[in-house]
Each structure stands twice: as C-alpha cells, then as structure tokens.
Amino acid sequence: MTAATERTGRGEASRPLRSWVRSAPGTHIWLLIIAITSVVIAFSTEGLERFLLHRTSSNIHELAAHPLQSLVTSSFWIENPSSFLLYAVLFEVFHAPVERWLGTPRWLFTVATAHICATLISQKVVLVSIENHEVPRRMAHVVDIGVSYGLAASVGILTYRVPRPWRWLYLAGALAFFGLPLATVGSYTDLGHAIALAIGLACWPLTRVGDDGPRRTPGP
C-alpha cells in the first residue's frame, strides 16, 4: 500500500459522515433535492403550495401536457414536508445499501424504471376508470408526487442481498406491506407500489453482474 493510499484511508476513516455520503452519492443527492423542495413547500403560501404540487405531479393532465418533465419532477417532491425525516431514514435503510451494493448506475436504473412504469401504468388505470365513469373526472388532476415507487423498487431488489433463511421472511414482509393495501383499499397508488416492488424483484439479473464479473449473492 502506498503512502498516498494510506493517507486517503486515514482521511476517510477520520470523516465517517463524508465517507458514508460518498459511498452512496445518488441517494444523498436525491435526498438533498427533496430537502430543498420540502423547505420550499413549508414556506410557501397555500396558493403557491397548491400550484407547485399540481404542477410537479405526474397525474393524467400533467403527463399529457408535459410527459417527460412531470415524470422527472414528481420524483423530487413530497406532499407533506413533515415527512422528510421519515423519508431520510427510509433512504438510508433501503436506497443507500442498494446503491453501495449494485453501484450507482444499476441502482438508478432500477428505481427510475420502477418510478416510470409504476406511474404510467397506475395513471393508465385511472384514465380507463374515468372513461368508464367509475371515478370522477377530477382524478385526472389529483396530486401524484413522491418517492415511494422508487423506494418500493429498492425494497424489492434488496431481497437478494438478505442472506437465507432471513431472505424469505424479508420477502414475505415486503409482499404483505405492499400487497395487503392493494387487496383491501386498492387505490391507484397501492397499485403503483405493487408494480414498483415487482420491478425491483424482476431486476434480479442486475445483482449477478458486477463491474469485474459475476457477483455472488449472499449465501446462508
């Protein structure tokens, strides 16, 4: 080991918070943006808050008018700023371990795919329900923002990181957490969560290929 490497290692060890953040940059950049948008919402007037939440939603109206913009911006806002600390914890528990394990590109591919697919499919269901007069037309303008679809995807793919036999218990808990609301309430958001979880589970091949060859998933 060279002297420069030793100094770098000692520097990182002496700054654990910096090392922690740098080990999952995508997660923490995303979290920082959400913190900023949450502050904006917290200090906005009621009218401005309503405008921002609707303008950055990925509902039917915004998807038809600004499809790419609405898909991107909706992933950086949460409706209730007081929930930010909870999301910060969830990001550290689910997103950060997945990003460190798979690397930023594969993690980002997983959560972005889940966010886009879950949003489009769930909003298509809303559109069909409106056309069939099953729900009111105002559902086309409902606030649909947040980061929960991406979180559900990370919960799903993290299954393959949990060693057996705890993996099956973890999977059962994830299926129950996202599946029971879908089976009972059955809202379009519950459908989106279930789709995102399924996409995370379907991304299993990404866990098998590393930067330098095949990865081995944890054994017993």
Side-chain angles (χ1 to χ4, degrees):
M1 180 182 294
T2 66
T5 303
E6 290 178 355
R7 286 194 298 271
T8 302
R10 287 196 299 269
E12 291 296 335
S14 65
R15 289 174 290 201
L17 180 59
R18 178 181 177 183
S19 178
W20 177 267
V21 171
R22 291 180 64 181
S23 66
T27 295
H28 294 101
I29 291 172
W30 192 3
L31 195 57
L32 176 61
I33 296 173
I34 295 171
I36 294 171
T37 59
S38 296
V39 170
V40 171
I41 290 295
F43 287 94
S44 295
T45 63
E46 183 178 350
L48 179 58
E49 176 184 345
R50 185 165 54 251
F51 169 79
L52 289 172
L53 292 179
H54 282 85
R55 189 67 178 80
T56 57
S57 288
S58 52
N59 53 37
I60 295 173
H61 174 76
E62 293 298 330
L63 284 172
H66 317 282
L68 182 59
Q69 176 182 322
S70 64
L71 284 171
V72 173
T73 57
S74 64
S75 63
F76 294 111
W77 297 76
I78 56 176
E79 191 169 358
N80 188 353
S82 64
S83 301
F84 174 75
L85 289 180
L86 173 61
Y87 278 108
V89 172
L90 293 175
F91 268 53
E92 297 295 348
V93 172
F94 296 107
H95 279 317
V98 173
E99 185 179 3
R100 294 188 190 102
W101 173 39
L102 298 181
T104 301
R106 282 186 286 272
W107 162 78
L108 184 59
F109 173 84
T110 302
V111 298
T113 300
H115 173 74
I116 293 170
C117 292
T119 298
L120 294 179
I121 295 173
S122 61
Q123 289 301 315
K124 178 63 176 179
V125 170
V126 175
L127 178 60
V128 172
S129 299
I130 291 174
E131 292 173 343
N132 292 336
H133 307 288
E134 297 171 355
V135 297
R137 298 193 66 84
R138 66 174 179 272
M139 288 294 291
H141 299 270
V142 70
V143 173
D144 182 27
I145 59 172
V147 298
S148 55
Y149 293 163
L151 275 169
S154 280
V155 170
I157 199 168
L158 194 61
T159 300
Y160 307 112
R161 187 64 168 169
V162 179
R164 300 182 183 91
W166 306 110
R167 178 180 301 177
W168 312 120
L169 182 62
Y170 173 90
L171 178 60
L175 291 174
F177 184 84
F178 292 107
L180 289 177
L182 179 62
T184 53
V185 179
S187 70
Y188 73 90
T189 304
D190 296 327
L191 174 62
H193 288 150
I195 292 169
L197 177 68
I199 290 173
L201 291 169
C203 285
W204 170 79
L206 297 180
T207 71
R208 304 293 294 177
V209 181
D211 295 330
D212 301 313
R215 287 180 181 266
R216 294 186 62 185
T217 52

